[in-house]
Amino acid sequence: MPARIPNAGLSRRDLLKRTGGLAALAAFTAACGSNTGRPAGTGGDGGGSKATLSQWYHQYGEAGTKEAALKYAKGYGDATVGVQWVPGDYGAKLASGLLSSNGPDVFESQLNVAMVKSNQVVPLDDILGDVKDDFNPNDLKTNTIDGKLYGIKMIDDPQVFYYRKSLFDQAGIKPPETVDDLIAAARELTTDKVKGIFVGNDGGSIIGGPALWSSGGAYLTDDNLPGFANPRAAQAFGKLHELFASKSVLLGAPADWWGPGAFVQGLAAIQWTGLWAMPAIQKALGDDFGVFAYPKLDAQGKQALPSGGWTQFVSAKSANIEAAKKFVKWLWVDNTEFQEDWNLNYGFHIPPRKSLAAKATKLQSGTAAEVVKLNQDFGVVDRPAWTPKMGTGFTDLLTNVIRKGADPAAEITKLDKTVNTELARLFG
């Protein structure tokens, strides 16, 4: 169930950063036709009958997720809810679907300020009521713009490095404390049969965000200014190229970083992926694995990891906004049984509700508990002011630096221009 983080790279999460609005409309129409997810032959208010709603999900990889989503929709009695399970480029299809009333009524995504500025989503403050204080404050913060809450967090998804304990022990290596330690460990663990590390099939752009944070930088500062235009960020990006150039990075894995296949099949000694993958890793490897956050850049840096996830929104284009809000409240505010099921029975996710997280026994021991603690100590949440265009620019920076060896400082200058132009457009 990855997100996940606004990291660069072609994660399912980051596809949302690369959407093209009207430019993607033709692709959306070809892929989905008139299938909005609403039950056939129904729509609107139905002349006094129950409202019909379309709920969109990206295609989760964990077994049982689609069946669970269908079960939740079927269990709702106040509207007829059709589930649209969207394969492929969910971000592009969603961007197009939100342009018209033929898109979703309810959908999952991650908030950015452009969605609010273009009136794609509606505020949801009124559906939280007395349980607002039970939600993780960071999950409220990342979905709030100008004091209004636009989304209800469904799952919290931290990402970390997984490593094979047995291979580390054989090589006499400890979990890395700095990025230089990580590069050295990847080299040491690389053999003719096993690569030292897997950070995605593009060579590592998924860890671009953590690399920046490990230097003390940020996508944006608290007052929405670029937080990456400095020499330490350039140094952090340069380390990603150094890792790529070390010949210890696995490329061309059968599945990308969001699935644990490369790790459990023994193709790499270290892999970056999410908490959601832990049950599959436990099943394959028993206790022969550990976890660590992205290491600090140096003694002045800090460990880091993205604390991403998915959030439920109501489309401003919906013909049944109030009915859609009522459904979201039923499923993601009131129905704690389904919330627990979604977070803990299809991969591991941290429930956004503090009361549910407190009794999530599957996350309270072993390596799962370690990830939860790392997320508490070092997790970085999304900033809604970071827009898709900014994300595309960041991806371009990482591609040029990591794979092509471009000068990080020069690439930062280009990104700084893009980001400042976007900020001026949005905020004046």
Side-chain angles (χ1 to χ4, degrees):
M1 288 189 185
R4 315 247 190 252
I5 67 342
N7 303 329
L10 294 178
S11 70
R12 279 180 264 178
R13 166 75 167 92
D14 299 318
L15 290 172
L16 298 175
K17 302 296 183 184
R18 301 174 68 97
T19 56
L22 287 169
L25 184 56
F28 166 77
T29 303
C32 296
S34 60
N35 184 6
T36 66
R38 296 182 184 85
T42 62
D45 292 323
S49 64
K50 290 194 300 184
T52 59
L53 303 174
S54 173
Q55 182 184 26
W56 285 21
Y57 292 85
H58 81 286
Q59 185 176 16
Y60 287 78
E62 292 80 356
T65 48
K66 183 176 182 180
E67 291 76 12
L70 291 168
K71 177 181 70 175
Y72 306 155
K74 186 177 180 180
Y76 186 59
D78 290 344
T80 302
V81 182
V83 171
Q84 177 81 345
W85 200 252
V86 183
D89 192 341
Y90 177 74
K93 295 171 184 177
L94 177 63
S96 301
L98 292 177
L99 294 176
S100 76
S101 58
N102 289 325
D105 299 286
V106 177
F107 64 95
E108 61 175 11
S109 185
Q110 292 83 26
L111 184 66
N112 72 75
V113 68
M115 295 165 68
V116 175
K117 295 283 187 180
S118 58
N119 297 315
Q120 292 182 330
V121 291
V122 300
L124 301 177
D125 303 84
D126 56 328
I127 73 173
L128 277 187
D130 295 338
V131 304
K132 182 175 182 179
D133 290 341
D134 191 38
F135 278 81
N136 184 312
N138 282 335
D139 290 334
L140 297 175
K141 179 181 178 182
T142 194
N143 285 303
T144 298
I145 293 177
D146 293 334
K148 295 181 179 180
L149 181 75
Y150 286 91
I152 308 299
K153 198 74 179 288
M154 303 157 59
I155 51 178
D156 286 343
D157 276 335
Q159 299 167 27
V160 294
F161 280 119
Y162 289 77
Y163 71 97
R164 289 291 296 273
K165 288 182 176 180
S166 57
L167 296 180
F168 270 56
D169 289 344
Q170 292 168 16
I173 298 173
K174 296 181 179 180
E177 295 184 4
T178 68
V179 177
D180 283 337
D181 293 341
L182 177 67
I183 295 171
R187 283 196 181 103
E188 181 69 20
L189 293 163
T190 297
T191 68
D192 58 350
K193 296 181 180 179
V194 179
K195 284 290 188 179
I197 192 167
F198 180 53
V199 284
N201 280 329
D202 68 353
S205 62
I206 189 60
I207 54 174
L212 172 61
W213 304 327
S214 79
S215 72
Y219 291 127
L220 298 170
T221 63
D222 289 340
D223 50 356
N224 287 331
L225 296 174
F228 52 82
N230 58 72
R232 287 184 59 77
Q235 181 184 357
F237 298 143
K239 290 295 181 182
L240 296 181
H241 173 68
E242 186 177 336
L243 176 64
F244 180 79
S246 70
K247 306 299 183 182
S248 59
V249 177
L250 174 66
L251 299 173
D256 216 328
W257 68 273
W258 51 73
F263 186 65
V264 300
Q265 293 171 29
L267 303 180
I270 306 168
Q271 180 181 332
W272 182 266
T273 190
L275 175 61
W276 60 84
M278 188 171 290
I281 293 173
Q282 289 175 330
K283 182 178 180 180
L285 302 179
D287 60 358
D288 185 21
F289 73 95
V291 294
F292 59 92
Y294 191 92
K296 57 189 179 182
L297 175 62
D298 50 28
Q300 290 72 48
K302 59 182 180 181
Q303 298 178 68
L305 61 110
S307 183
W310 291 91
T311 296
Q312 196 89 153
F313 298 93
V314 171
S315 171
K317 293 283 189 180
S318 171
N320 293 289
I321 288 176
E322 292 305 316
K325 289 169 64 175
K326 187 177 179 181
F327 171 65
V328 170
K329 182 178 188 297
W330 173 81
L331 181 54
W332 299 112
V333 177
D334 299 335
N335 200 319
T336 55
E337 178 185 350
F338 285 166
Q339 292 163 37
E340 287 184 283
D341 180 61
W342 190 245
N343 275 271
L344 299 172
N345 291 332
Y346 315 99
F348 286 167
H349 315 269
I350 303 173
R353 298 281 291 274
K354 291 184 286 187
S355 60
L356 299 184
K359 63 177 184 176
T361 56
K362 293 179 179 181
L363 306 180
Q364 293 174 355
S365 62
T367 48
E370 289 182 46
V371 176
V372 172
K373 182 64 165 59
L374 289 171
N375 186 60
Q376 292 171 345
D377 293 344
F378 307 112
V380 179
V381 297
D382 299 348
R383 288 194 178 276
W386 187 257
T387 68
K389 189 170 184 178
M390 297 177 194
T392 298
F394 189 62
T395 298
D396 293 342
L397 176 153
L398 292 170
T399 298
N400 291 336
V401 171
I402 295 173
R403 299 185 69 95
K404 301 177 183 178
D407 175 28
E411 295 299 314
I412 285 174
T413 298
K414 291 191 287 187
L415 177 62
D416 189 50
K417 182 178 179 181
T418 297
V419 170
N420 277 306
T421 299
E422 274 286 274
L423 292 172
R425 180 180 66 85
L426 293 169
F427 301 112

